[in-house]
Amino acid sequence: MSEETKEYAYFLGCITPNRYPGIEVATKKVFKEFGIETKEMEGASCCPAPGVFGSFDMYTWLPIAARNLAIAEEMGLEIYVTCNGCYGSLQEADHLLKEHPKLKEKTNEILGKFGREYKGTTEVHHSIVIMHDDIGLDRLKEKVTKPMKDVNVAIHYGCHFLKPSEVRGHGSSETPYILEDIVKAIGAKDVDYKDKLMCCGAGGGVRTADTPTALEWTRQKLVSMIEEGADCVIHPCAFCHLQLDRGQYEMNEAFGTSFDLPVLYVLQLVALAMGFSEKELALDQQTTKMPEKLLK
Amino acid sequence: MGTLVEDLIEWGGGVLGEEHMETLMSCVQCGKCTGGCPSGRITALRTRKLFKMAQENMVEEIFNAPELWYCTTCYTCYERCPKGVKCTDIIRTIRNLAAKAGHMSVPHRKIGVYALKTGHGVPIGPDQMKIRESIGLDEMAPTTQKYKEQLEQFQTICKETGFDALIDFDWDKMNLKE
């Protein structure tokens, strides 16, 4: 990518702006450093969550997703997201609507009720792919002023960033590499651990319907990170952030444990390595606390 | 109303494509889905069993199976199935039909209430508004929860598709019916 400014529509979703706005700020700040400008998507809604609304009624899920896509189309911009749920939902909807003209027609009958139309002129990107592929690791390395030396990072991919791989197109879901590359580029070490590719436990409405089960799931995953000496966990998904961060408070309450493994959206860790402060990234306002090691 | 398999192909096929749904008939009960299922480690979810139940038209049993709702839609089974069964999407479709038949939990219906009231499954609260302001953001993002006319578009979709009726939503109370 050239050095010139590129503009994107930032699809915020729910958890990022409404629970962890530090993810929003980190992404905007990091992207701005690389000449990427963000425009707000006025009137956007829930994506809506693919495993939740997609499980309840896919005929409602699709037009809601299409309306969000249409907003970006009206802006003439491509979309980026900071949540795997949003990525899954919007990219899948866009894929289906581009593949099936009849589905597009039926969807537009609904959107037409309020004067909107899905045309199929935008694309949906994940912010970490923009970081990895468009900005690139070399430019990232140049901006690192505080390398994450001796920091052991447990990478958690979540689910809908990689899968289904036939739609996502980021290679094999069993051997991912994008977050590993970013972690190395900022001088940290990624630690392999038993349950690395395991889901966080929250999706598909499981957290909503049965929080203790979702927490037990997350507990098992966190234990397998801690056993390998992780100093923190990074991820590309706001919903995973909620489960991994807030979930530690909830499981300490429910199970009498004392988990405190720092949770960061990957671009929050990148932002720390680029010299932004804990405070401006709202990392001091979440459940898990940042250790000195990440802030030096 | 046909068999459950026919209904799944028709309902799911309308959005995901019929060929996608027909893969259910390729399941040979090898159990790879179940072996790699993270939920199956701690819950009674056995994807192989669900698919056998579907193939054998055990409609009431499958709609009433609590484990149907223990899939997080992680897509591990979908990726690994050696027969190309679109497992996760089939589970989502079974859930759609179960929900239509009245098998939807109260917490799930309440997510729908949040959505109908704000356009968000997870709306903002006062604490998060303060956090947003402390890091230089507007107290509320410019979404459906901020603009009434935008929320109305979201609500129109839900009325058009019958999502409000699906969760038994009362527009006067803006909550679930008694």
Side-chain angles (χ1 to χ4, degrees), chain A residues 54-70:
Chain A
S55 288
F56 300 160
D57 180 31
M58 52 184 78
Y59 290 83
T60 301
W61 163 78
L62 185 66
I64 292 174
R67 179 182 167 277
N68 286 323
L69 293 165

Side-chain angles (χ1 to χ4, degrees), chain A residues 46 59 116 160 165-166 210, chain B residues 11 70 73 78-79 119 153:
Chain A
C46 180
Y59 290 83
R116 288 203 133 118
H160 298 175
S165 54
E166 63 193 10
D210 185 353
Chain B
W11 185 265
Y70 278 108
T73 72
Y78 183 110
E79 291 285 300
Q153 295 185 3

Side-chain angles (χ1 to χ4, degrees), chain B residues 64-78:
Chain B
N64 283 294
E67 62 266 29
L68 177 60
W69 297 92
Y70 278 108
C71 166
T72 59
T73 72
C74 81
Y75 282 89
T76 303
C77 53
Y78 183 110

Side-chain angles (χ1 to χ4, degrees), chain A residues 12-22 24-25 28-29 40-46 48 50-64 67 71 92 96 100 103 106 110-111 113-114 116 159-160 162-167 172-174 194-195 197-199 201-206 208-210 213 216-217 220-221 279-282 285, chain B residues 10-17 20 38-43 69-76 78-80 86 89 91-97 99-100 104-105 107-109 111-112 115 118-125 127-128 130-132 134-137 139-145 147 149-154 156-158 160-163 166-167:
Chain A
L12 290 165
C14 300
I15 310 286
T16 297
N18 297 343
R19 288 292 178 276
Y20 289 97
E24 182 179 337
V25 156
K28 287 175 177 171
K29 284 184 186 298
E40 307 276 353
M41 287 178 63
E42 205 161 279
S45 67
C46 180
V52 181
F53 292 90
S55 288
F56 300 160
D57 180 31
M58 52 184 78
Y59 290 83
T60 301
W61 163 78
L62 185 66
I64 292 174
R67 179 182 167 277
I71 292 172
E92 185 184 5
L96 289 168
H100 305 289
L103 199 57
K106 277 168 75 177
I110 297 176
L111 303 193
K113 305 268 176 201
F114 40 81
R116 288 203 133 118
C159 301
H160 298 175
L162 294 165
K163 300 171 279 185
S165 54
E166 63 193 10
V167 180
S172 163
S173 60
E174 306 281 351
K194 179 169 65 110
D195 289 327
L197 295 178
M198 183 179 169
C199 158
V206 173
T208 306
D210 185 353
T213 294
E216 170 55 21
W217 188 315
Q220 291 188 14
K221 176 144 194 168
K279 198 173 169 56
E280 55 191 330
L281 304 169
Q285 302 204 55
Chain B
E10 189 184 346
W11 185 265
V15 172
L16 305 167
H20 203 78
S39 182
R41 265 165 52 164
I42 52 171
T43 76
W69 297 92
Y70 278 108
C71 166
T72 59
T73 72
C74 81
Y75 282 89
T76 303
Y78 183 110
E79 291 285 300
R80 293 180 182 172
K86 306 298 183 187
D89 290 344
I91 291 173
R92 288 198 298 165
T93 311
I94 298 171
R95 287 175 168 184
N96 271 221
L97 296 185
K100 254 198 335 159
M104 199 171 168
S105 73
H108 284 152
R109 290 163 59 210
I111 289 264
T118 67
H120 287 282
V122 182
I124 197 161
D127 292 349
Q128 289 86 22
K130 279 186 204 139
I131 295 176
R132 288 183 63 85
S134 77
I135 50 176
L137 297 169
E139 66 169 18
M140 211 187 267
T143 64
T144 44
Q145 64 192 344
Y147 299 116
E149 67 282 8
Q150 300 283 354
L151 174 62
E152 282 167 2
Q153 295 185 3
F154 183 98
T156 298
I157 294 175
C158 295
E160 285 290 321
T161 62
F163 184 75
L166 182 75
I167 65 163

Side-chain angles (χ1 to χ4, degrees), chain B residues 109-110 112-119 148 151-152 154-155 159 164 167-178:
Chain B
R109 290 163 59 210
K110 281 188 176 163
V113 171
Y114 290 133
L116 284 167
K117 285 169 77 169
T118 67
K148 190 167 170 281
L151 174 62
E152 282 167 2
F154 183 98
Q155 292 168 335
K159 285 177 188 165
D164 51 351
I167 65 163
D168 224 5
F169 188 74
D170 185 329
W171 286 100
D172 293 327
K173 290 195 314 187
M174 289 304 280
N175 209 332
L176 297 178
K177 287 180 187 160
E178 289 304 321

Side-chain angles (χ1 to χ4, degrees), chain A residues 5-44:
Chain A
T5 302
K6 181 156 184 186
E7 265 185 9
Y8 282 96
Y10 183 3
F11 180 79
L12 290 165
C14 300
I15 310 286
T16 297
N18 297 343
R19 288 292 178 276
Y20 289 97
I23 295 174
E24 182 179 337
V25 156
T27 307
K28 287 175 177 171
K29 284 184 186 298
V30 168
F31 278 6
K32 203 171 167 58
E33 288 290 310
F34 294 104
I36 294 174
E37 291 293 334
T38 290
K39 287 272 185 277
E40 307 276 353
M41 287 178 63
E42 205 161 279

